[in-house]
């Protein structure tokens, strides 16, 4: 199905492959041993902090569990730019990466070490000159500078690992161009299903970026002269393979020492969570793994992700690449668990996922592809996790298999014996069917992992097209009950962690094609405001938001974030309503299906008794703090009820205090300014007695 282009790989008297005394095996030689692949996702690629997205640093027990589960290749998504200064990678970070690489190789597996997104320094910059950036703004990219940075980083990485044998593989990038701006017209160049086009000219730029990596690796010497390097198709999308085929990077080592990479997430089956759209429905089920009466939500026939489409796409990759001596890595693949389903429907869905994984990896093996499943560690709604690592949040032990049926389907495809036990029944029991006529709610449990770091629990509702016009409302009403506390045991004896124990809840929304962010405080100390036994109603008007929302006719998502340290507790949410101008309300979501959950939040659907109903409670207006962020400083204006001592603090994403100031606030309006050379997300907190103001800021 793909046009086979010219690979243009140079072969000549000066090729390193012909001059190296001890050349490493070629890609086609090691491919049969690479077997089934696994991603240590959301860890080493986190910009600046591998534990910042909820996972612990990989240890020996975890990596051994990967091997014991039947995997023989581990892809290590990795950040570099956020661990570098003036183009030089921090030596300590290289040592940290080496720790993970060594754990993988010492367990007899292949390690694929890549350059991941890392705030888009390369992947969002596959341009030359003026262009529209991912946020829809005019931008300019000097492609020569991006190329120089790419070559410089890979020179350092290659030098550091030059003595490693063929079990270490390098990968030039991750998903170049995947964040290109969406939402324009075809006349303006948005020809890729509403996304900015990735054409031949941009492929030329990407080819040069890959060649910068290859040049750096080959010239570093040692085993790098013939080490396998993986190069990515634009956005790693299969339909962009002809572009990579036509402009395949030239390797100084000659033929045979590269692999190509694509990713495989058939959207409607794998990732779609916002609800059915006019152009297509979410696929919960697959082929014959379906309740039978829901063909509209079953991936089959010619749908992307069906048996026939997998066979056609993967055989196309084989003829385009593998048959030319270039095996293909499916660097990421997977499908989310949809805990929005319950009971028998959830069971059918989970069985369908397992069947899809088994068929996909078997088809990959047949066609010269190395399938690497994506695993993030989280076990909430929408997760793809197979091996447990977040034991503080989900219990059990590091290395427990959380998706036995899916793993066994893949093991069978590679001729491995099935592991005992199963996971589906326990997951279904956590998400039971609620009898018709019963009210439904979602019960969310929050549990922070650390005692002195700020963490977030997110409950998010993605709004489908046709249901996302909130411009007819003047605000949002939520109804909830529960108890959340932020006073827990402090495990860091070196700090007075009690000083930093706090909890707050914000309502948020994201609107328009740029996903503009708006938020408003709901609770400023949840443990003091909530009633554990009775539902309370809270209203947030648009003018309560810190910045008045725009794009209300096109709201992508709404939700609630619980922020804090030392947080534990449970909140039950009954509904989210829109408030009309006349004071009446109507349901936006009543949690008939579980919302998306992230961070420290886990949940289940629960039945609600009609006796829980109460009259809407009046809510006192929340005090506001007005914040102005400048380069190197942040200024806050707030209203104090009396003249008394006060304290202002800036906390980074780890909950560490990066700036603070003690002062006396006067009754009425006050201004305080803090300076810091920290850059990125932070929390600004101003305290005066029992009065407390908090706001998220992005420090410049």
């Amino acid at each position: 199905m793909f046009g086979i282009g010219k690979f243009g790989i140079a072969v000549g008297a000066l090729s390193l492959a012909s001059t190296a005394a001890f050349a490493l095996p070629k890609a086609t030689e090691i491919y049969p041993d690479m077997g089934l692949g696994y991603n240590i996702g959301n860890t080493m690629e986190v910009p600046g902090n591998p534990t910042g997205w909820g996972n612990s640093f990989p240890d020996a027990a975890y990596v051994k569990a990967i091997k014991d589960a039947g995997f023989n290749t581990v892809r290590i998504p990795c950040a570099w730019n956020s661990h570098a200064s003036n183009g030089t990678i921090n030596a300590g970070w290289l040592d940290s990466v080496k720790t993970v690489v060594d754990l993988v190789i010492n367990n007899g597996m292949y390690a694929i070490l890549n350059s991941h997104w890392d705030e888009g320094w390369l992947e969002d910059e596959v341009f030359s000159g003026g262009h529209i950036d991912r946020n829809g703004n005019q931008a300019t990219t000097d492609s020569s500078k991006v190329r120089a940075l790419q070559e410089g980083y890979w020179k350092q990485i290659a030098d550091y690992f030059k003595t490693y044998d063929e079990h270490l593989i390098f990968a030039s990038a991750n998903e170049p161009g995947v964040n290109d701006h969406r939402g324009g017209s075809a006349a303006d160049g948005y020809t890729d299903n509403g996304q900015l086009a990735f054409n031949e000219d941009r492929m030329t730029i990407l080819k040069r970026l890959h060649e910068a990596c290859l040049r750096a690796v080959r010239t570093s010497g040692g085993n790098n002269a013939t080490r396998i390097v993986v190069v990515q198709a634009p956005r790693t999308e299969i339909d962009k393979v002809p572009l990579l085929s036509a402009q395949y990077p030239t390797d100084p080592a000659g033929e045979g020492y590269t692999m190509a990479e694509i990713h495989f997430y058939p959207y409607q089956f794998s990732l779609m969570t916002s609800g059915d759209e006019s152009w297509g429905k979410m696929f919960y089920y697959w082929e014959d793994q379906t309740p039978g009466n829901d063909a509209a939500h079953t991936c089959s026939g010619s749908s992307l992700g069906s048996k026939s489409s997998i066979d056609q796409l993967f055989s196309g990759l084989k003829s385009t690449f593998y048959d030319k001596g270039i095996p293909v890595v499916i660097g990421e693949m997977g499908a989310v668990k949809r805990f929005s389903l319950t009971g028998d429907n959830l069971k059918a869905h989970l069985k369908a996922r397992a069947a899809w994984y088994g068929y996909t990896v078997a088809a990959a093996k047949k066609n010269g592809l190395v399938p690497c499943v994506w695993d993030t560690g989280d076990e909430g709604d929408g997760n793809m996790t197979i091996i447990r690592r977040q034991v503080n949040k989900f219990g059990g032990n590091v290395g427990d298999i959380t998706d036995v049926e899916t793993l066994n389907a893949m093991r069978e495809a590679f001729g491995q014996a099935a592991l005992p036990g199963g996971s589906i029944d326990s997951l279904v029991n956590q998400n039971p069917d609620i009898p018709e006529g019963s009210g439904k709610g979602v019960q969310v449990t929050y549990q922070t992992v650390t005692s002195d770091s700020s963490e977030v629990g997110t409950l998010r509702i993605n709004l489908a097209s046709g249901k996302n016009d909130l411009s007819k409302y003047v605000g949002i009403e939520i109804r909830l009950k529960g108890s959340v506390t932020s006073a827990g045991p402090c495990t860091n004896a070196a700090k007075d962690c009690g000083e930093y124990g706090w909890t707050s809840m914000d309502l948020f929304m994201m609107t328009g094609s740029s996903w503009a962010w708006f938020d408003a405080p709901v609770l400023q100390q949840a443990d003091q405001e909530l009633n554990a036994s009775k539902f309370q109603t809270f209203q947030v008007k648009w003018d309560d938001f810190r910045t008045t929302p725009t794009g209300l006719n096109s709201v992508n998502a709404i939700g609630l974030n619980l922020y804090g340290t030392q947080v534990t507790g449970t909140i039950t949410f009954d509904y989210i309503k829109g408030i009309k101008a006349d004071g009446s309300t109507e349901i936006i979501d009543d949690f008939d299906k579980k919302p998306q959950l992230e961070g420290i939040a886990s949940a289940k659907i629960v039945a609600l008794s009609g006796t829980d109903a109460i009259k809407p409670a009046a809510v006192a207006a929340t005090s506001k703090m007005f914040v102005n962020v400048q380069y190197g400083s942040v200024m806050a204006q707030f209203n104090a009820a009396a003249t008394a001592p006060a304290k202002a603090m800036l906390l980074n994403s780890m909950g560490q205090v990066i700036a603070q100031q003690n002062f006396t606030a006067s009754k009425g309006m006050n201004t305080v300014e803090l300076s810091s050379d920290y850059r990125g997300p932070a929390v600004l907190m101003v305290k005066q007695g029992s009065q407390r103001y908090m706001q998220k800021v992005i420090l410049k």
Side-chain angles (χ1 to χ4, degrees), residues 61-109:
Y62 173 58
V63 177
K64 183 178 184 299
I66 297 172
K67 177 66 174 180
D68 291 345
F71 297 96
N72 210 44
T73 293
V74 176
R75 183 172 179 261
I76 307 172
C78 197
W80 302 104
N81 190 59
S82 59
H83 295 279
S85 178
N86 297 320
T88 300
I89 301 171
N90 182 284
W93 180 243
L94 283 166
D95 291 343
S96 295
V97 175
K98 178 181 184 297
T99 297
V100 182
V101 170
D102 287 350
L103 285 171
V104 171
I105 293 177
N106 290 341
N107 274 278
M109 296 183 286

Side-chain angles (χ1 to χ4, degrees), residues 280-469:
K281 298 184 181 297
M282 291 190 292
F283 291 152
Y284 305 120
Y285 315 114
W286 186 76
E287 297 292 349
D288 60 343
Q289 297 293 329
T290 176
N293 60 349
D294 199 357
H297 292 101
T298 300
C299 180
S300 61
S302 61
S303 298
L304 183 63
S306 67
K307 287 183 178 180
S308 64
S309 78
I310 291 170
D311 292 341
Q312 182 183 25
L313 292 168
F314 287 10
S315 65
L317 290 169
K318 180 178 184 295
S319 62
T320 302
F321 290 123
Y322 184 80
D323 291 348
K324 307 297 182 182
I326 303 174
V328 177
V329 176
I330 304 179
E332 298 176 17
M333 58 160 280
V336 298
K337 300 185 186 83
R338 301 178 187 275
F339 294 150
S340 58
L341 299 172
T342 57
D344 289 341
N345 287 335
L346 177 58
K347 179 177 286 189
H349 161 66
L350 295 173
K351 288 182 176 180
R353 286 182 70 258
W356 178 84
Y357 272 86
Y359 192 90
T360 302
V361 301
K365 179 184 177 185
K366 175 183 175 181
N367 288 286
L369 320 179
V370 180
C372 299
V373 297
W374 184 250
D375 193 308
T376 63
D378 182 66
E379 296 178 36
D381 190 30
N383 82 82
M384 301 182 192
T385 296
I386 294 172
I387 300 175
R388 174 164 292 149
R389 33 183 167 153
Q390 296 184 14
V391 295
N392 288 335
K393 182 175 180 181
F394 298 105
N397 302 297
V398 171
D400 288 348
I401 305 303
T402 66
D403 195 348
V404 176
E405 289 83 357
T406 292
L407 180 60
N408 279 339
M410 295 189 293
R411 286 172 62 93
E412 180 182 356
F414 277 84
Q416 302 175 23
L419 299 177
S423 308
I424 289 178
D425 287 343
S426 63
L427 290 173
V428 171
N429 290 337
Q430 295 172 30
N431 298 270
D433 276 329
I434 305 298
E436 288 298 324
S438 300
K440 295 182 181 180
V442 61
Q443 188 179 85
V444 184
T445 299
Y446 301 92
Q447 178 65 64
T448 52
V449 176
T450 66
S451 63
D452 58 356
S453 300
S454 171
E455 296 178 85
V456 182
T458 299
L459 177 153
R460 169 175 158 177
I461 301 161
N462 297 313
L463 300 181
S465 176
K467 298 181 180 180
N468 61 347
D469 185 357

Side-chain angles (χ1 to χ4, degrees), residues 20 217 312 325 388 508 513 575 586 700:
V217 172
Q312 182 183 25
R388 174 164 292 149
F508 68 85
S513 61
Y575 60 65
E586 64 182 12
K700 303 176 181 178

Side-chain angles (χ1 to χ4, degrees), residues 166-186:
E166 68 273 14
H167 286 86
L168 177 59
I169 296 168
F170 293 150
S172 172
N174 176 49
E175 295 177 339
V178 73
N179 293 316
D180 288 344
H181 188 248
R182 293 182 180 273
S185 67

Side-chain angles (χ1 to χ4, degrees), residues 116-173:
H116 216 73
W117 176 70
D118 199 12
E119 300 178 328
W121 68 270
L122 180 146
E123 295 191 6
D124 295 350
E125 299 295 338
V126 188
F127 295 99
S128 182
H131 61 90
I132 303 295
D133 69 12
R134 68 174 183 268
N135 297 315
N137 301 316
Q138 287 289 337
T140 301
T141 295
D142 184 340
S143 60
S144 65
K145 290 184 178 179
V146 180
R147 225 167 30 245
L149 204 57
Q150 165 85 330
E151 187 164 354
Y153 286 152
W154 277 111
K155 181 66 165 65
Q156 295 168 67
I157 300 164
D159 282 346
Y160 190 85
F161 290 103
K162 67 171 60 177
T163 62
Y164 281 62
D165 68 11
E166 68 273 14
H167 286 86
L168 177 59
I169 296 168
F170 293 150
S172 172

Side-chain angles (χ1 to χ4, degrees), residues 223-289:
N223 284 335
N224 292 325
T226 52
R227 184 176 308 285
I228 304 303
V229 176
V230 184
V231 296
Q232 294 69 36
R235 301 181 187 137
T236 56
E237 293 177 353
I238 294 183
D239 63 359
K240 298 299 180 190
V241 159
L243 288 173
L244 178 63
S245 170
Q247 296 195 62
Y248 200 82
T250 299
D251 185 359
E255 291 185 348
Y257 296 100
T258 63
M259 293 182 174
E261 180 177 354
I262 58 94
H263 294 173
F264 193 54
Y265 296 113
Y267 181 71
Q268 288 172 261
F269 182 75
S270 288
L271 300 174
M272 189 175 175
T273 58
S274 59
D276 293 342
E277 299 283 0
S278 59
W279 51 263
K281 298 184 181 297
M282 291 190 292
F283 291 152
Y284 305 120
Y285 315 114
W286 186 76
E287 297 292 349
D288 60 343
Q289 297 293 329

